[in-house]
Amino acid sequence: MSDPLLSVKNLQVFFHLAQGTLKAIDGVSLDVKKGQIVGLVGESGGGKSMIGLSILRLVPEGGKIASGKIIFEGKNLLNLSEDEIRIIRGSYISMILQDPLTSLNPAFRIGPQMIDVLRLHKGYDKKEAELIAIEMLHNIGIPDPKKNIRKFPHQLSGGMRQRVVIAIAFSCSPKLIIADEPTTALDVTIQAQILQLLKNLSTEYQTSVLFITHDLGIVANLCDSVAVIYAGEIVETAQTSELFLNPKHPYTKALFQSILRHDKKQEHFYSIEGVMGSHIDWPDKCKFYPRCSEKLDGCEKTGSVEFVSYSPDHLVRCLKYE
Amino acid sequence: MEKKRKEKFLQIKRFLSNGKVLFGGIVLLLLAFTSISAPYIAPHDPNEQELTATKKPPFWIEGGDTNHILGTDSLGRDIFSRLLYGSRVAMFVAVVGTFFAGLIGVTLALLAGYYRGAVDNLISRFVDVWISFPPILLSIVLMAVLGTGITKVALAIILVDWTRFCRVIRGEVFNIREKDFILAARAIALGNLRIIVKEVFPNIVPLLIVLVTLEMGIAIIVEAILSFVGLSVEASIPAWGQMIALGRLYIHQAWWIMVFPMICIIISVLGLNLLGDGLREVLDPRLKVMGMK
Amino acid sequence: MNLKYIIKRLLYIITTLFGVSIITFVILRVIPGNPIAMMLPPQATQQDIIELKAQYGLDKAIPIQYGIWLINVVQGDFGVSIHMKQDVMELVIERLPATLELVLAATAIALILGIFIGTLSIMKKDTFLDKLGSLMAVLGLAIPDFLWGLLFIIFFGVFWHVLPISGRIASTDTLINITGFFLVDSLIKFDFKGFYSVFLHLILPAFSLALPLTAIVIRVIKSSLLEVVKEDYILLARVKGLAERVVIFIHALRNALIPTTTIVGVQFGFLMGGTVLVEIIYSWPGLGKLAVTAIITRDLPLIQGVVLVLAFIFVIVNLIVDLLYTFINPKIRYG
Ligand SMILES: Nc1ncnc2c1ncn2[C@@H]1O[C@H](COP(=O)(O)OP(=O)(O)OP(=O)(O)O)[C@@H](O)[C@H]1O
Ligand SMILES: [Mg+2]
């Protein structure tokens, strides 16, 4: 078995706020193998986007990567200089941000926003870059790309804008793409098209994908393996089929139940009892137990819970299985 | 009771821990102090001419002495005493000018922002026309027509600067009117006047405080400008702008005649601006006062 | 740009100028103080006063006076200056280029300096540069333009004679007046020595006028950049691997400039006012100086003419700023 393309090890991201320390990411480890699509699921505020941004070393202001390693192709990204990490960004690892409607610069036409990455990382001149950009737009199904490349973002529909953002992400054929809920803002039919597009592109370009979502339905169709995150900690990882057949962690189970309820025409995806709340200055113990339906007497007292291997590729972090 | 007092204490502490507020507050207090007590603390009569001791430099420069610590002007008048008396003029126009400019501006802004429609159109249009005059030119024209005198300077400042309050506050009233509590008050049919006074006005107070401090700085500058072109107070009343205009004639022989009143103006305006800035930070960090100079 | 918008703007300009002219008229005639008495020496007789009143049409009722004045103005006749015995429009046009040259130079300096310093201090947050930018923003506003002018005069007039502190050009140089903009005129004639002299003379007055505006530009740019850098498209620019300099100076700045234009438009009016003092201090033969002379000598036709022209410039500049605003904001331009 070869080394994974990306290996996040024991990552911690802290925000030092006036009220105390918020461990937005608290000891996350995660592997993405070559050509794989890995799903990262969890509720809003769980820290999914934060993991994606940390990999590119773009943690929002106020936050700091406190410890851990991010090994990409054998190099620890956290040890690179600012110039070195900039070369990685956009060319080796790129990211599709959460909201397609606001991720394009309203003051520039589509063209220059696509061309600048190509020129920066691939050294094309302006003409070549434009030709490639037009071809990209054509490939991802934008009609009349020659005309649309001259438009401003607000003149395109949401679905079109998302396609442009995806085109930008793929344009330098990166090894890894972090796709942060790329379809949440779109309506259902376009969602399906975009997901298909993403899948095709990742096969075509041999690109690994870290796919962030809160929608287990999408994970089932798209991902090879899954990591479930809760309040900055991964609580369970497994192959997709294994996780769907055999969910172990109470939080994972609760997520599945909420889908079932959703299918029965309930409006909200996440109708798990209670709210995640904030975990500022949270002591070393399970963060989910206040909402857990299967909690044991020990949950409140025990210190940090370690991962347990349920089967070789299936890890779970819960006192029940220790 | 105890708790309330403690809260108040904490609030004051919060204000004072902002360096800008502290500096600005000290400057303002100092100005108030000198303008009230000028007759008691000034070492000389500000108009007393000592013709044997003209253009004496400040005491630390050769030829100066501690009798005139900041030197004398071209007529042998004591600069330090004149500066103290000059702060009276500055404070008078700052306080009176700002108060009435604010009164007019805020009243019209409340009416325009609250009633909107035709009232707002009329008031806003009038403001638009009014600000098309370069403000300094307008105040000079007004002074030429009104004649000199300290109350007339204040009047000119009021007539020119009420628009500053009106424009900024009107926008704020527009926003506030949409808030739930105003809609609720309207729904239970409280009188309009009552809503304006009891509900809308308290909400513009933070912005108003900031505007007032900034406007006081502007008033001091305008008075200095008018004095400078010889259209402010009577020649017998010492004012900073006048001192600057006089000193300008002698900069090659006696720079101090001009420099000290300039320093007074700069520090006063700096203090008032910083006070405004600091208060804005403390009261509401989101408040923006644009278009103010 | 549709027709309705253009008509609306034109109407706005016309009503504003109409309003300005009425207010000037009223202020100069209704407020106590007899302009004729002020025009004449104290020993003038009653007969003199009546004659002079008739000569300037001041014996008629104010609305009629205004009507006559307005009809003449519409035909381009602003009357004759009482004091200088010259056509008002001629006087104004003669002085206008000097003022415009000064104001435009000041605006350019303020924009370039303000944008550069404001942007740099966002990029290099909490460094020395940032602190320097904040200091400039505070001092620029606390020291009004005429005090900057006087400070420079003390410094360059008394201590360090490297820059001229009076007039538009050295008395030893002569320029052939073509446009009235001396920088342009000297270039047209390839008179580089003249150009240099004009340039040097422009520096101090232009900087005096520019520094307060620079402070405002720094503040506006900083506060709008602080908003803009939170946007997703800025994050995407960073995700793409663009250098921070490109992210801020190109991607963020373009968006931050949109609110800046409107503020500069409003400030332009203050700048036109500021020239009054700066022109006096630097003996700059412009409109501001003319206006003060007119006011002090109670030259009614001249005051009216100058005020109206200044107000006209103000509304035109604001129109240009509005057009510029729609131009740099694609959301409006491509609706
Ligand atoms: N700038 C910030 N300052 C303080 N805390 C922050 C900041 N940005 C994010 N956080 C915290 O980090 C945690 C993780 O946020 P993140 O955006 O990664 O969640 P997410 O899983 O992507 O949620 P969503 O599904 O809503 O996108 C949250 O608890 C949030 O409160
Ligand atoms: Mg997210």
Side-chain angles (χ1 to χ4, degrees):
Chain A
M1 195 83 222
S2 65
D3 280 345
L5 176 70
L6 173 85
S7 178
V8 176
K9 292 198 170 124
N10 213 6
L11 180 71
Q12 289 191 307
V13 177
F14 293 171
F15 282 86
H16 295 287
L17 307 172
Q19 307 96 298
T21 300
L22 174 69
K23 299 184 175 176
I25 302 297
D26 193 3
V28 161
S29 298
L30 189 74
D31 283 355
V32 180
K33 298 200 183 84
K34 212 161 177 219
Q36 253 196 344
I37 301 185
V38 175
L40 184 58
V41 257
E43 277 171 293
S44 187
K48 306 184 294 293
S49 304
M50 199 62 69
I51 291 180
L53 293 171
S54 310
I55 293 171
L56 289 171
R57 291 212 347 228
L58 286 171
V59 174
E61 208 170 310
K64 260 181 84 170
I65 298 180
S67 70
K69 284 183 190 160
I70 297 171
I71 314 283
F72 176 75
E73 293 196 314
K75 279 176 293 190
N76 186 354
L77 297 185
L78 298 182
N79 291 340
L80 298 186
S81 73
E82 189 57 31
D83 284 337
E84 288 165 333
I85 188 78
R86 278 206 295 105
I87 295 173
I88 302 277
R89 288 178 199 151
S91 67
Y92 292 88
I93 305 177
S94 62
M95 182 162 175
I96 301 166
L97 299 182
Q98 194 157 353
D99 190 352
L101 301 179
T102 56
S103 16
L104 291 173
N105 194 325
F108 289 90
R109 294 170 201 274
I110 302 299
Q113 303 196 49
M114 295 188 67
I115 288 169
D116 56 3
V117 245
L118 287 163
R119 296 186 65 185
L120 178 70
H121 295 301
K122 297 279 167 187
Y124 293 124
D125 68 25
K126 210 171 161 182
K127 272 242 175 68
E128 291 168 331
E130 185 166 312
L131 284 178
I132 292 174
I134 289 173
E135 197 183 310
M136 288 278 337
L137 288 181
H138 178 76
N139 283 346
I140 59 168
I142 296 227
D144 202 353
K146 279 204 180 101
K147 197 173 120 220
N148 277 316
I149 205 170
R150 315 218 90 86
K151 287 196 171 160
F152 282 97
H154 72 272
Q155 296 172 298
L156 301 179
S157 69
M160 293 252 260
R161 269 186 255 182
Q162 184 63 305
R163 280 164 196 265
V164 172
V165 173
I166 291 175
I168 291 174
F170 275 97
S171 61
C172 295
S173 355
K175 302 245 164 81
L176 172 69
I177 285 199
I178 302 160
D180 192 354
E181 312 203 22
T183 56
T184 322
L186 306 173
D187 66 51
V188 185
T189 43
I190 298 177
Q191 245 186 46
Q193 291 170 14
I194 296 276
L195 288 174
Q196 193 56 48
L197 175 72
L198 205 59
K199 199 165 182 173
N200 295 346
L201 285 174
S202 81
T203 328
E204 189 186 326
Y205 286 82
Q206 288 273 307
T207 308
S208 311
V209 180
L210 178 61
F211 191 90
I212 296 173
T213 181
H214 57 234
D215 187 342
L216 279 167
I218 296 178
V219 171
N221 293 325
L222 197 68
C223 301
D224 302 309
S225 65
V226 196
V228 180
I229 184 170
Y230 184 81
E233 289 176 356
I234 304 261
V235 293
E236 185 164 10
T237 60
Q239 299 296 311
T240 308
S241 49
E242 164 73 9
L243 189 91
F244 276 66
L245 287 174
N246 234 338
K248 285 292 159 214
H249 196 280
Y251 178 60
T252 317
K253 291 184 206 163
L255 280 182
F256 278 113
Q257 263 157 24
S258 71
I259 297 190
L260 293 178
R261 258 179 277 161
H262 178 72
D263 286 345
K264 288 180 201 142
K265 288 249 167 342
Q266 276 222 355
E267 261 313 304
H268 297 288
F269 260 103
Y270 290 119
S271 20
I272 303 175
E273 274 312 291
V275 288
M276 185 160 70
S278 95
H279 291 89
I280 292 175
D281 288 337
W282 192 260
D284 248 358
K285 63 183 170 193
C286 175
K287 287 175 176 165
F288 185 62
Y289 91 87
R291 292 168 75 189
C292 185
S293 55
E294 304 174 36
K295 62 174 165 254
L296 305 173
D297 289 340
C299 287
E300 193 168 351
K301 288 165 219 132
T302 325
S304 70
V305 190
E306 292 308 315
F307 271 113
V308 185
S309 270
Y310 177 77
S311 65
D313 265 340
H314 190 166
L315 301 179
V316 62
R317 181 180 239 172
C318 179
L319 201 58
K320 246 175 94 178
Y321 305 99
E322 271 194 352
Chain B
M1 201 61 223
E2 182 61 19
K3 200 176 159 207
K4 223 174 189 175
R5 204 188 282 148
K6 201 170 164 196
E7 235 165 54
K8 205 158 211 175
F9 175 73
L10 279 179
Q11 205 170 357
I12 291 173
K13 211 173 132 190
R14 196 159 58 97
F15 274 93
L16 292 185
S17 64
N18 182 308
K20 294 178 182 173
V21 175
L22 191 64
F23 177 79
I26 290 175
V27 169
L28 188 60
L29 281 180
L30 207 64
L31 270 178
F33 172 73
T34 56
S35 56
I36 291 167
S37 59
Y40 310 105
I41 55 176
H44 292 267
D45 178 332
N47 289 321
E48 176 196 304
Q49 303 185 359
E50 221 175 295
L51 293 173
T52 52
T54 60
K55 294 182 230 159
K56 262 177 99 81
F59 73 90
W60 63 88
I61 290 175
E62 215 184 308
D65 57 46
T66 46
N67 186 24
H68 300 288
I69 50 172
L70 297 181
T72 59
D73 67 9
S74 55
L75 294 172
R77 294 175 295 194
D78 181 52
I79 290 180
F80 180 61
S81 307
R82 291 180 69 75
L83 288 177
L84 291 176
Y85 275 87
S87 70
R88 303 191 122 185
V89 174
M91 270 311 261
F92 179 83
V93 293
V95 171
V96 176
T98 303
F99 178 78
F100 287 101
L103 192 67
I104 298 173
V106 169
T107 309
L108 290 178
L110 284 171
L111 293 177
Y114 187 80
Y115 288 104
R116 305 190 180 187
V119 181
D120 178 41
N121 270 338
L122 192 74
I123 293 175
S124 299
R125 210 52 201 94
F126 192 63
V127 171
D128 279 348
V129 170
W130 204 256
I131 61 168
S132 307
F133 288 97
I136 294 178
L137 205 58
L138 181 59
S139 50
I140 294 178
V141 170
L142 284 171
M143 286 310 292
V145 175
L146 294 169
T148 54
I150 192 166
T151 47
K152 289 169 183 164
V153 179
L155 184 59
I157 288 171
I158 296 163
L159 287 176
V160 175
D161 283 349
W162 64 272
T163 51
R164 291 181 205 274
F165 288 92
C166 195
R167 281 194 321 155
V168 180
I169 300 278
R170 172 183 163 271
E172 185 70 5
V173 176
F174 254 80
N175 294 337
I176 289 170
R177 215 191 89 137
E178 291 308 308
K179 298 255 165 76
D180 291 343
F181 59 90
I182 303 294
L183 297 177
R186 286 164 67 88
I188 58 170
L190 282 182
N192 281 335
L193 187 67
R194 232 188 107 151
I195 297 177
I196 292 178
V197 175
K198 291 238 145 121
E199 307 285 339
V200 180
F201 183 73
N203 282 287
I204 59 166
V205 167
L207 180 59
L208 190 57
I209 292 176
V210 175
L211 289 180
V212 161
T213 54
L214 294 179
E215 177 61 28
M216 285 175 74
I218 292 171
I220 291 177
I221 293 175
V222 171
E223 191 283 319
I225 289 175
L226 292 173
S227 284
F228 185 76
V229 292
L231 284 171
S232 173
V233 291
E234 298 86 343
S236 60
I237 302 177
W240 293 343
Q242 271 179 356
M243 298 173 73
I244 292 174
L246 181 71
R248 191 177 154 233
L249 306 175
Y250 301 100
I251 48 169
H252 292 281
Q253 303 111 305
W255 53 263
W256 52 89
I257 305 181
M258 180 161 94
V259 167
F260 291 120
M262 281 172 71
I263 291 175
C264 287
I265 294 176
I266 292 173
I267 290 182
S268 310
V269 177
L270 185 68
L272 287 163
N273 283 358
L274 286 179
L275 184 61
D277 263 11
L279 286 175
R280 177 172 54 203
E281 283 163 16
V282 180
L283 292 172
D284 183 358
R286 280 163 301 128
L287 268 187
K288 281 201 192 122
V289 192
M290 290 297 168
M292 286 286 300
K293 169 178 160 194
Chain C
M1 219 50 38
N2 55 18
L3 192 65
K4 206 172 139 201
Y5 177 78
I6 294 173
I7 291 176
K8 208 175 127 194
R9 288 304 306 224
L10 279 179
L11 269 179
Y12 181 87
I13 290 176
I14 291 170
T15 50
T16 304
L17 292 177
F18 200 64
V20 167
S21 67
I22 290 181
I23 292 171
T24 322
F25 223 82
V26 169
I27 290 176
L28 289 174
R29 284 175 178 75
V30 171
I31 292 183
N34 180 351
I36 287 296
M38 293 186 212
M39 276 178 214
L40 287 168
Q43 65 272 25
T45 62
Q46 199 60 32
Q47 186 59 30
D48 291 340
I49 293 179
I50 293 171
E51 265 174 31
L52 196 65
K53 269 195 169 174
Q55 188 187 333
Y56 288 100
L58 294 174
D59 49 349
K60 303 188 178 68
I62 289 173
I64 295 175
Q65 285 183 36
Y66 182 74
I68 294 172
W69 180 81
L70 191 64
I71 289 170
N72 288 334
V73 164
V74 170
Q75 294 167 349
D77 176 10
F78 283 76
V80 175
S81 153
I82 297 174
H83 186 66
M84 304 197 213
K85 312 273 186 285
Q86 224 182 323
D87 187 75
V88 167
M89 213 52 215
E90 254 173 40
L91 279 170
V92 168
I93 288 183
E94 203 179 290
R95 306 294 183 98
L96 188 59
T99 297
L100 283 183
E101 191 166 62
L102 179 56
V103 170
L104 289 177
T107 313
I109 293 171
L111 282 177
I112 293 170
L113 264 186
I115 291 174
F116 191 71
I117 295 174
T119 313
L120 261 177
S121 50
I122 290 293
M123 225 173 101
K124 311 259 174 207
K125 240 195 198 151
D126 300 321
T127 60
F128 173 73
L129 254 165
D130 183 17
K131 302 252 158 61
L132 194 74
S134 308
L135 186 72
M136 270 195 76
V138 170
L139 281 187
L141 275 187
I143 305 182
D145 33 35
F146 87 104
L147 287 189
W148 279 118
L150 292 172
L151 284 174
F152 289 154
I153 288 213
I154 295 176
F155 191 70
F156 291 99
V158 180
F159 297 112
W160 196 37
H161 304 265
V162 288
L163 286 170
I165 53 167
S166 157
R168 290 180 79 187
I169 187 165
S171 50
T172 51
D173 284 312
T174 44
L175 263 192
I176 297 146
N177 194 333
I178 305 166
T179 58
F181 292 88
F182 282 5
L183 282 179
V184 179
D185 288 352
S186 56
L187 277 187
I188 292 177
K189 289 279 169 195
F190 298 107
D191 175 3
F192 295 113
K193 190 168 155 273
F195 181 82
Y196 183 64
S197 168
V198 172
F199 180 77
L200 289 185
H201 279 78
L202 194 54
I203 292 178
L204 291 182
F207 265 90
S208 312
L209 211 50
L211 286 177
L213 183 58
T214 309
I216 292 172
V217 175
I218 292 178
R219 282 168 181 233
V220 177
I221 282 281
K222 270 176 84 170
S223 71
S224 34
L225 267 181
L226 277 179
E227 290 300 309
V228 171
V229 291
K230 288 185 204 144
E231 298 284 345
D232 280 352
Y233 54 80
I234 295 303
L235 182 56
L236 184 66
R238 292 193 173 123
V239 164
K240 288 198 283 191
L242 300 180
E244 194 60 13
R245 151 178 59 84
V246 178
V247 172
I248 300 291
F249 268 94
I250 297 184
H251 285 259
L253 189 57
R254 176 85 74 98
N255 289 282
L257 282 180
I258 295 171
T260 310
T261 47
T262 28
I263 304 287
V264 170
V266 174
Q267 292 301 327
F268 197 83
F270 296 110
L271 221 52
M272 292 301 290
T275 54
V276 173
L277 270 285
V278 172
E279 285 179 13
I280 293 177
I281 292 172
Y282 287 98
S283 314
W284 192 265
L287 267 191
K289 209 160 162 256
L290 183 70
V292 173
T293 317
I295 292 166
I296 290 176
T297 57
R298 324 281 154 163
D299 197 334
L300 290 190
L302 191 53
I303 299 176
Q304 273 152 211
V306 173
V307 169
L308 198 64
V309 167
L310 288 177
F312 182 70
I313 295 175
F314 181 77
V315 287
I316 292 295
V317 165
N318 275 287
L319 178 70
I320 295 173
V321 166
D322 271 12
L323 295 179
L324 202 66
Y325 182 81
T326 52
F327 184 75
I328 65 171
N329 189 351
K331 279 196 186 156
I332 300 181
R333 187 155 48 121
Y334 301 87

